Amino acid sequence: MKDKLPVITTEVEEIGRYGAAVLTVTAKEFFSSGFEPGDIVEVTIGERRFTMPVGTAYTDVDNHKLIILKIDLDERMLVALNYNDSFARDNGIRAGDKVTVSMKEKYGYIREYNLRSISMGGERDDYGSDEAFTNFRSVKAGNIVPGRLWRGFSPINPADNRAFYADRLLSGTGVKTAINLDGENEEKRAMYEGYSSSFYSGLTVVPVRMTFSPNDVAFPENMKKVCLGIIENEGPYYIHCRYGRDRTGLVCIVLEGLCEASMEEISADFMKSYENIHFLEPGSQKWLFQREKRLFEPFNVLTGETADINADGEALSRLMRKILSDKCGLSEEEINEVHDRLCR
């Protein structure tokens, strides 16, 4: 007799910040009922039915693909589209909707899940330095002046135990302006414990609610806001999202390319985040997979061209200038000003 396939019934507790359907079922209840990462499940919300894998991180699926996973902070499960905040809105999903999750194919996604799955240490002792722990570094690609542009974890969001360390590192950089890609305004920032006494609280902060997708209809306007934030405020600059990894990496692709960085330099900086946070060995199978999925594919979408690791800085600068002009609506003078703020 075959084992009975797991089914769990719950409901939508709320619509999350990025349009996800947050469920009332906890991760412990969900996984103890028989579901595991790498399974493929069928999720019915109201009268709508969806098929998706079970995962542990958004990076377990491509951009704009569905996934069911847990929230780190309180261990609730959520159903979401990766890097797309319109899932609940587009499907008319509301708090209180009934939800059923049933097994469709046990381990049907396990090969892809294992290839994509990347771990992250939760404590400072898991890492060899504060800089690796917080993914903190100066961006040195192309003609960017050393110490002019920095990137890393959020120095204020305490969720990943990094804020204190990132803020302490930030205080030694001379940074005057932060580009906050979580889009956190002053009211939201002030809610974090310790914010008022942080170095970050004294900076000029430009909030930009970015997603990691050049396909996002808001990307051109958000990239323009980043550039205007650089033009209108004094450097050095610190760019961050939560991990300082993907959304920060997407913005840095554009800024580094604008500043004559080669594709090899852009790749080295982008993949440093995966080496720092997730302990990936350069050139390993998982490292190459992440480079293809997280760097090359978004680059192809952004530029309409195929990523070439041998592309030189002059060609990429022309390409990024065209994107900032044609897609983002920046004038030639504004593009030159962004370049000069970072490179002179």
Side-chain angles (χ1 to χ4, degrees):
M1 181 177 177
K2 292 184 178 180
D3 293 336
K4 186 178 180 180
L5 294 177
V7 177
I8 198 163
T9 301
T10 179
E11 65 180 45
V12 178
E13 182 171 338
E14 63 178 338
I15 304 305
R17 181 181 177 194
Y18 291 107
V22 182
L23 309 182
T24 57
V25 66
T26 66
K28 182 177 180 180
E29 292 167 336
F30 182 81
F31 289 115
S32 65
S33 70
F35 298 104
E36 296 178 80
D39 293 342
I40 296 177
V41 297
E42 189 169 81
V43 180
T44 302
I45 306 179
E47 296 183 355
R48 291 188 175 265
R49 186 172 296 173
F50 309 92
T51 299
M52 67 193 73
V54 178
T56 53
Y58 279 106
T59 50
D60 291 337
V61 293
D62 285 340
N63 287 351
H64 307 294
K65 298 294 185 181
L66 279 166
I67 186 170
I68 183 168
L69 71 162
K70 71 177 182 179
I71 301 177
D72 307 84
L73 294 180
D74 48 21
E75 301 296 296
R76 290 177 297 167
M77 299 299 294
L78 62 82
V79 179
L81 275 168
N82 185 19
Y83 288 107
N84 185 309
D85 62 5
S86 65
F87 170 65
R89 182 179 67 247
D90 289 350
N91 290 286
I93 296 169
R94 297 178 176 84
D97 284 353
K98 301 301 180 184
V99 180
T100 301
V101 184
S102 59
M103 183 70 72
K104 184 173 178 65
E105 185 179 354
K106 187 68 178 174
Y107 299 138
Y109 194 73
I110 194 66
R111 183 179 181 278
E112 182 87 359
Y113 172 77
N114 286 336
L115 191 57
R116 288 175 173 273
S117 182
I118 48 180
S119 62
M120 182 175 78
E123 303 297 333
R124 169 62 182 84
D125 290 347
D126 297 329
Y127 293 82
S129 67
D130 288 354
E131 287 81 2
F133 182 51
T134 58
N135 195 30
F136 192 95
R137 60 190 179 275
S138 172
V139 178
K140 300 177 181 178
N143 292 318
I144 297 174
V145 174
R148 187 67 54 80
L149 181 64
W150 299 79
R151 59 181 292 182
F153 261 81
S154 169
I156 54 173
N157 187 333
D160 302 290
N161 302 322
R162 264 88 165 169
F164 168 80
Y165 297 92
D167 189 67
R168 186 170 65 182
L169 288 169
L170 189 61
S171 69
T173 62
V175 162
K176 292 183 172 59
T177 299
I179 311 293
N180 183 322
L181 300 180
D182 275 330
E184 297 163 316
N185 60 23
E186 178 65 31
E187 181 180 4
K188 173 64 175 177
R189 299 194 299 269
M191 294 173 64
Y192 290 129
E193 183 179 357
Y195 174 74
S196 62
S197 60
S198 67
F199 174 80
Y200 188 98
S201 66
L203 300 178
T204 298
V205 179
V206 180
V208 181
R209 193 168 179 269
M210 182 75 75
T211 66
F212 180 61
S213 175
N215 265 335
D216 188 340
V217 294
F219 173 78
E221 184 61 28
N222 283 334
M223 193 66 224
K224 183 176 182 178
K225 288 178 182 178
V226 170
C227 291
L228 294 178
I230 291 171
I231 292 170
E232 295 168 0
N233 297 285
E234 188 177 0
Y237 307 94
Y238 184 67
I239 299 181
H240 74 91
C241 44
R242 180 169 169 180
Y243 295 170
R245 186 188 63 190
D246 293 327
R247 287 173 288 171
T248 299
L250 180 61
V251 169
C252 284
I253 289 171
V254 178
L255 296 180
E256 291 168 12
L258 172 66
C259 293
E260 294 86 28
S262 67
M263 195 64 191
E264 188 171 3
E265 289 177 296
I266 291 171
S267 174
D269 181 54
F270 190 95
M271 293 307 298
K272 188 68 175 177
S273 295
Y274 286 87
E275 296 160 23
N276 281 343
I277 306 172
H278 304 293
F279 317 108
L280 297 191
E281 288 292 328
S284 67
Q285 185 181 26
K286 283 195 174 185
W287 187 94
L288 291 169
F289 183 88
Q290 293 298 332
R291 187 177 69 168
E292 178 67 29
K293 290 293 184 180
R294 313 307 290 174
L295 171 59
F296 288 168
E297 288 186 7
F299 178 91
N300 297 345
V301 172
L302 174 68
T303 64
E305 299 190 9
T306 302
D308 177 3
I309 195 64
N310 297 311
D312 65 35
E314 290 187 6
L316 289 177
S317 184
R318 289 193 297 270
L319 191 57
M320 296 308 165
R321 283 177 174 273
K322 182 174 177 59
I323 289 168
L324 291 174
S325 172
D326 295 355
K327 290 189 176 182
C328 302
L330 289 166
S331 68
E332 184 178 356
E333 292 75 15
E334 288 170 328
I335 295 170
N336 288 336
E337 182 67 16
V338 174
H339 178 277
D340 291 350
R341 289 264 179 162
L342 298 176
C343 299
R344 292 186 180 177

